Amino acid sequence: MQKANILLRSNAVFSGLASAPEAGFVAISGNHIMAVGPSDGAEYAEPDTQVLNLGDRLICPGFTDVHCFFSGYLLTIAGADLSTCQDAGQAIAAAKDYQKSLAPGATVLARGVQTGFTELSCDRLDQEFGDVPVILFMEGGESCYMNSAAHRDYRFTPDTCWSESYWRLLKYILGQRDFSVPEFRKYLSMMNSRGITSIKEMGFDDFYGFTKELKKLEQENTLTARVHFMSQPVGFPMNLEYGREMRDSFSGSFVHFSGYNQMTDGSISQLEGEMKSPYLCSDTCCTKDIDWEGLRRDTLSADRENFRFSLHAQGDGAICRTIDIFDQCQREPGGKIKNRHAITDLECSDPTDLERMGVLGIVAEVYPQIMSIANRDSKLAMIQKNIGQERGKNYWNRRKMVDSGVMISCGTDLPLLYDDIPESIYHTVGALFPEGGAPFNKENTLTTAELLKAWTYGGQYNLGCENQLGTLKAGNLADIAVLDGNVFETSMDHVRDIKVCLTLVDGNIVYCTI
């Protein structure tokens, strides 16, 4: 009998093939799972086998984040940290000190500046820095102080501080390879510490050449997570030739091109989510001007070339229109769409549209931790004011998705959120806001098993890798995450205390605190 390199034993093994964990073992040989069973797996061990007796720690398939954003993450760590500066003078002095470490003419970038430093006007920054671009992001990154040179080079304003607007800045930061490549490896390590073994990255346009670095890292065998990337047209029209090149270029087991991504509507709180009927507080269904015909044209063009497309939709009107677009795509003999297109976010959906999603085989990409950045009183007040309680019942309706046969996968839009699977259980299973209290729309929740399957099998189904990953069974690749407690037996009051303690990717331990 073939022996294992690594043998994991636990009282709680969640294979993803059942609705509850069971006591047993997982035996790993090379980069594959050789056996999973209800015993201690002693027959697979030899003197050189690394045996880990995990007690009540929960063994799971590796987790998958299907919507994250490395270049956005880079912006949160790039430049000088000015969070300790108490006034505009200190901020300018610190920025000037940081500038000394840069090449002549390089953009002076900083973060964490307190709001209210009115002296950091465009004119003042022009006086201090001349023709060198200067961008000082405020706390939270939703606005900034910038000078004329920064306006000229990057073409956004303090009032348009979002990723699709400052894509030129993201291109600049990503292009600093001595910075971005080492940080990408750290980024993957950070993901590993949270049990993430596969990611789907949103790369604007042609990822601004970063795919060359992905190729190098793959060839060097230094990637510690499987990377699928999408092209989101922002600065340029959708480029199918780029997609063909990327699809042909990446055919290994660690890097893949996953198609195209686009935004549709925006936030319901800002009246930018497209609703089927008008907002209660304004005579509009959406304040954004959405190019639905352009989205339809791009989606169908990509679909004809067998590329996947994901569309980000929050309001029930936008979700309905997105389904209408996917309804025009190629079909399998059974009637489901051929290319596993997806809808991201799905904040407030019409239940009848979720039924349509199930019939068509459209994948859902939900944010199961989204409640972590809200509080109960303000969220409920917004819902009551903007759309009313009747439509509010359809907020975050993951239960209807499952009941309608929709495949659910999980994303974070990182750096909006950082992967934390136990925290996602607190919010999406417990229906609780961070401060606790009464559950919100409890009838819309998932079970713990359903959510873990979304993080594992659902994510790999999204990526087209469910035949090799996403469950613990013999023959699958050995991507595994271990939590330091059994979330199936932990109360909601304490589930957020549970952390990842072990992560394996391709049979290799990439994170361990045991």
Side-chain angles (χ1 to χ4, degrees):
M1 179 184 292
Q2 184 181 4
K3 301 300 182 179
N5 303 114
I6 300 174
L7 181 64
L8 307 179
R9 294 168 172 162
S10 174
N11 296 323
V13 179
F14 182 72
S15 67
L17 301 169
S19 58
E22 299 176 346
F25 75 93
V26 180
I28 299 162
S29 176
N31 67 342
H32 281 78
I33 296 171
M34 63 184 301
V36 179
S39 67
D40 66 1
E43 65 271 29
Y44 296 97
E46 60 182 0
D48 291 339
T49 299
Q50 184 177 3
V51 179
L52 295 176
N53 294 304
L54 299 170
D56 293 328
R57 298 179 181 95
L58 181 70
I59 302 175
C60 300
F63 304 123
T64 298
D65 187 334
V66 300
H67 198 95
C68 46
F69 186 25
F70 171 62
S71 53
Y73 166 81
L74 272 185
L75 193 59
T76 70
I77 61 172
D81 181 0
L82 306 188
S83 59
T84 60
C85 296
Q86 298 300 308
D87 56 43
Q90 288 184 14
I92 289 172
K96 281 182 170 290
D97 189 54
Y98 170 68
Q99 186 182 21
K100 296 174 184 177
S101 68
L102 304 176
T107 297
V108 178
L109 186 66
R111 63 190 188 278
V113 182
Q114 295 181 27
T115 59
F117 288 179
T118 56
E119 294 175 49
L120 296 178
S121 65
C122 183
D123 288 343
R124 174 72 183 277
L125 294 177
D126 285 347
Q127 293 171 11
E128 297 286 350
F129 294 91
D131 201 41
V132 174
V134 178
I135 306 172
L136 312 179
F137 281 97
M138 298 181 200
E139 294 173 324
E142 295 180 357
S143 189
C144 67
Y145 306 100
M146 60 196 305
N147 68 349
S148 299
H151 285 293
R152 178 199 66 209
D153 289 0
Y154 299 112
R155 306 181 203 175
F156 71 96
T157 70
D159 296 325
T160 57
C161 279
W162 54 79
S163 54
E164 290 81 7
S165 178
Y166 51 58
W167 63 268
R168 293 175 183 85
L169 177 60
L170 297 179
K171 179 180 179 180
Y172 172 81
I173 297 171
L174 201 62
Q176 311 303 302
R177 298 290 197 252
D178 289 343
F179 170 64
S180 62
V181 175
E183 289 300 335
F184 185 72
R185 296 179 65 173
K186 293 178 186 177
Y187 171 78
L188 294 186
S189 294
M190 179 270 290
M191 293 288 214
N192 296 153
S193 74
R194 295 162 183 269
I196 302 298
T197 58
S198 292
I199 58 175
K200 188 172 72 176
E201 278 289 328
M202 301 301 110
F204 285 169
D205 299 314
D206 61 359
F207 216 160
Y208 307 134
F210 199 73
T211 51
K212 294 179 181 178
E213 306 304 328
L214 293 179
K215 175 64 75 174
K216 290 178 186 177
L217 292 170
E218 182 179 39
Q219 291 171 340
E220 294 166 358
N221 295 316
T222 54
L223 291 170
T224 61
R226 302 178 198 275
V227 181
H228 300 245
F229 64 97
M230 297 192 110
S231 170
Q232 181 170 332
V234 176
F236 307 94
M238 183 181 70
N239 186 340
L240 290 175
E241 181 56 37
Y242 166 75
R244 297 185 200 104
E245 180 184 346
M246 293 299 102
R247 182 163 58 188
D248 293 342
S249 179
F250 294 102
S251 57
S253 63
F254 265 82
V255 185
H256 294 272
F257 180 65
S258 195
Y260 296 86
N261 177 73
Q262 265 293 20
M263 299 289 294
T264 66
D265 64 344
S267 170
I268 292 171
S269 63
Q270 296 176 321
L271 309 187
E272 292 184 345
E274 181 165 314
M275 304 301 294
K276 288 186 173 182
S277 56
Y279 284 90
L280 299 180
C281 58
S282 179
D283 187 22
T284 182
C285 291
C286 182
T287 58
K288 285 190 69 175
D289 183 17
I290 303 170
D291 181 11
W292 286 106
E293 177 54 30
L295 292 168
R296 185 191 72 85
R297 184 174 58 249
D298 281 357
T299 301
L300 297 184
S301 295
D303 180 73
R304 283 193 292 271
E305 301 244 6
N306 294 323
F307 289 118
R308 297 182 59 237
F309 218 107
S310 61
L311 287 169
H312 188 288
Q314 297 191 50
D316 58 11
I319 294 167
C320 181
R321 284 183 184 255
T322 299
I323 295 170
D324 289 343
I325 291 173
F326 291 153
D327 195 18
Q328 300 172 52
C329 292
Q330 299 178 80
R331 303 290 188 90
E332 298 283 8
K336 293 186 182 295
I337 57 174
K338 178 181 179 181
N339 290 313
R340 296 192 184 179
H341 303 307
I343 303 178
T344 307
D345 202 334
L346 297 133
E347 186 171 356
C348 185
S349 55
D350 184 329
T352 61
D353 288 325
L354 299 182
E355 293 173 3
R356 294 175 63 205
M357 283 184 68
V359 170
L360 289 170
I362 300 169
V363 178
E365 298 178 347
V366 306
Y367 298 157
Q369 295 166 235
I370 195 67
M371 290 173 72
S372 69
I373 57 173
N375 68 75
R376 182 183 177 84
D377 289 345
S378 62
K379 192 69 175 183
L380 268 60
M382 183 280 294
I383 290 172
Q384 177 64 32
K385 175 185 175 184
N386 290 3
I387 61 174
Q389 291 183 354
E390 189 60 32
R391 283 184 285 181
K393 293 177 182 178
N394 296 325
Y395 243 80
W396 300 319
N397 195 354
R398 289 78 180 245
R399 175 78 266 142
K400 181 63 178 178
M401 294 178 193
V402 170
D403 293 344
S404 300
V406 175
M407 181 64 67
I408 300 178
S409 55
C410 298
T412 56
D413 204 18
L414 192 152
L416 175 68
L417 304 158
Y418 285 71
D419 300 85
D420 188 323
I421 280 68
E423 181 182 74
S424 76
I425 293 171
Y426 178 84
H427 296 299
T428 295
V429 177
L432 298 167
F433 286 96
E435 67 271 26
F440 171 71
N441 285 356
K442 180 64 176 175
E443 65 278 9
N444 295 345
T445 59
L446 301 179
T447 66
T448 298
E450 288 168 340
L451 181 57
L452 289 182
K453 287 180 180 179
W455 274 111
T456 54
Y457 181 84
Q460 294 300 335
Y461 180 90
N462 183 315
L463 301 176
C465 298
E466 76 278 9
N467 292 328
Q468 292 184 299
L469 293 159
T471 54
L472 300 179
K473 65 179 181 180
N476 270 12
L477 293 170
D479 288 10
I480 297 170
V482 180
L483 298 171
D484 65 10
N486 186 347
V487 293
F488 287 85
E489 297 182 354
T490 305
S491 70
M492 287 299 161
D493 288 340
H494 299 287
V495 73
R496 289 179 291 179
D497 297 331
I498 292 177
K499 304 298 178 187
V500 169
C501 59
L502 179 68
T503 306
L504 292 90
V505 174
D506 216 39
N508 297 309
I509 294 175
V510 296
Y511 177 75
C512 182
T513 60
I514 297 172

